Amino acid sequence: MGQQASEIGAEADETGMDIDLALSEESKRQREGTGNIGAFGKRTGSSDLRFFEGVLPEIDGEILSDHSIEEQFSTALDNLEAALADNRNATFGDVMKLEIQLTDPSAAEAVDHVYESRFDDVELPPRTVVGVCSLPGGADVQLDVIAAEE
């Protein structure tokens, strides 16, 4: 332990041993930034992945909070489908992962029926259902989606 820890960017831990301190490097997102693609999709760096965040059951700026969960989920999927099409004519077949956020997790079974019917022409992508306290505009469902640009 010839040099002092402060001289070489290290600190002594509780045992007196020198430990290296390194600032974390910028992530790919920080380094290259994100660019908006279409209404919802974001691309990270040069990746072929597209991230669709906060897809809501919305028509012309109005959240359909007074509709059934099936109608809300179907409308959110319509919005996702339109956003995918705006991204180099992507389709539900390009969806790699779907996160469904529900204010009432007991509605998961009703959502599953819509999910299975809308993705009937393609292999069902993996999905996660997450219970949340509230969503924008009083919506009962929101989607976060990862799609691949292939």
Side-chain angles (χ1 to χ4, degrees):
M1 288 203 258
Q3 291 181 314
Q4 292 291 328
S6 61
E7 292 176 16
I8 58 172
E11 243 177 48
D13 67 8
E14 63 273 356
T15 64
M17 299 284 296
D18 285 345
I19 55 172
D20 287 328
L21 294 179
L23 296 175
S24 62
E25 294 182 24
E26 291 180 324
S27 72
K28 186 172 186 176
R29 175 174 283 183
Q30 291 168 321
R31 198 170 50 245
E32 298 178 9
T34 58
N36 288 325
I37 307 295
F40 303 100
K42 293 182 180 177
R43 180 177 178 184
T44 301
S46 60
S47 169
D48 65 345
L49 298 178
R50 294 286 186 266
F51 300 87
F52 298 86
E53 304 163 342
V55 181
L56 291 163
E58 179 179 9
I59 296 177
D60 297 326
E62 181 183 341
I63 306 278
L64 306 180
S65 59
D66 58 343
H67 290 69
S68 72
I69 189 64
E70 293 90 350
E71 290 173 300
Q72 288 188 46
F73 184 51
S74 185
T75 300
L77 288 173
D78 290 342
N79 292 339
L80 173 62
E81 193 169 35
L84 285 165
D86 287 344
N87 280 268
R88 302 184 189 204
N89 295 319
T91 66
F92 283 152
D94 298 308
V95 172
M96 304 293 292
K97 171 108 172 52
L98 181 72
E99 179 181 284
I100 304 167
Q101 299 162 9
L102 296 174
T103 57
D104 179 7
S106 67
E109 189 174 327
V111 165
D112 278 347
H113 294 294
V114 176
Y115 173 75
E116 291 170 3
S117 71
R118 292 295 297 271
F119 284 86
D120 65 347
D121 294 338
V122 298
E123 184 176 332
L124 292 173
R127 72 186 179 284
T128 304
V129 177
V130 178
V132 297
C133 293
S134 66
L135 291 168
D140 293 322
V141 64
Q142 176 176 273
L143 308 176
D144 286 342
V145 178
I146 301 171
E149 177 185 301
E150 296 184 13

